[in-house]
Amino acid sequence: ETEHRLLINSFEIYNDNKLLSTIGEVKNDVLRYFDIDAPVYYAEIYLENLYESYSKNEVKYAEPNKFPIVKRDLSLLLNDDITFQQIQDVIYKAAPKYVKDINLFDVYEGKNLPAGKISYAISINLEKKQSTFTEQEIDNLMKKIIDALNTQLGIILRG
């Protein structure tokens, strides 16, 4: 916790004992002095230290993909003891070259579901580096993912 006199809940980021940044929330008495009634957050970045720290290391980057990312949403019915991590693992393994990321955006438990079941709504972003997906490729990938979820975790699609 930093001793910065204008901040609360603050912290500092170091690399090789060099201070890179101070981050925190501005204290209420400072906000009152300036007639501000909303929270204000502060970050100070010490660019010279940042550049020095990272110039020693080789910077690696990946060129952004030139082809569109395809997003597909699935509504799944699964046993309530299955974790989202298990679902992610199966999906990444089913299509490792093409699954960019997976997001859980809704969880439903309760009425209209069988006992011991839960419903997840997930989105899957598919990415192809060399070209644009065809509809047939997308359909094949989604079938492969859905089959893997069903076979390995007993998950079925909700209608």
Side-chain angles (χ1 to χ4, degrees):
E1 181 99 2
T2 186
E3 292 293 328
H4 202 288
R5 58 191 173 93
L6 302 176
L7 303 178
I8 57 173
N9 300 324
S10 61
F11 62 93
E12 297 172 335
I13 300 172
Y14 288 87
N15 184 30
D16 291 334
N17 293 322
K18 288 199 181 285
L19 180 60
L20 301 182
S21 182
T22 300
I23 300 169
E25 185 176 352
V26 177
K27 287 183 177 178
N28 286 334
D29 53 345
V30 175
L31 296 176
R32 279 193 296 275
Y33 179 81
F34 289 101
D35 257 353
I36 299 171
D37 60 358
V40 174
Y41 299 92
Y42 169 89
E44 186 170 351
I45 300 170
Y46 306 96
L47 291 176
E48 193 171 300
N49 290 348
L50 184 68
Y51 292 144
E52 187 178 315
S53 291
Y54 288 98
S55 66
K56 296 176 192 171
N57 302 317
E58 182 182 337
V59 176
K60 297 177 184 176
Y61 71 97
E63 185 178 323
N65 193 350
K66 296 177 179 90
F67 303 102
I69 291 174
V70 173
K71 180 181 174 188
R72 291 293 183 264
D73 293 343
L74 296 176
S75 182
L76 308 173
L77 184 65
L78 53 132
N79 291 338
D80 60 9
D81 62 347
I82 294 174
T83 66
F84 180 59
Q85 183 64 55
Q86 288 174 287
I87 293 169
Q88 286 182 301
D89 292 345
V90 168
I91 293 171
Y92 281 122
K93 194 173 176 186
K97 285 174 45 181
Y98 302 109
V99 176
K100 180 174 174 52
D101 54 46
I102 306 159
N103 298 296
L104 175 64
F105 64 88
D106 189 38
V107 177
Y108 177 75
E109 300 178 75
K111 284 194 271 182
N112 305 326
L113 291 181
K117 296 287 185 181
I118 192 169
S119 174
Y120 279 2
I122 65 170
S123 64
I124 301 171
N125 289 323
L126 302 171
E127 178 179 50
K128 192 173 176 188
K129 301 276 188 201
Q130 315 83 341
S131 63
T132 302
F133 280 110
T134 66
E135 282 301 317
Q136 186 64 48
E137 288 173 321
I138 296 167
D139 290 346
N140 290 344
L141 279 172
M142 293 310 296
K143 182 180 180 341
K144 187 174 182 179
I145 288 168
I146 292 163
D147 288 348
L149 288 170
N150 183 260
T151 304
Q152 296 175 42
L153 298 174
I155 295 173
I156 58 172
L157 281 182
R158 289 191 74 195

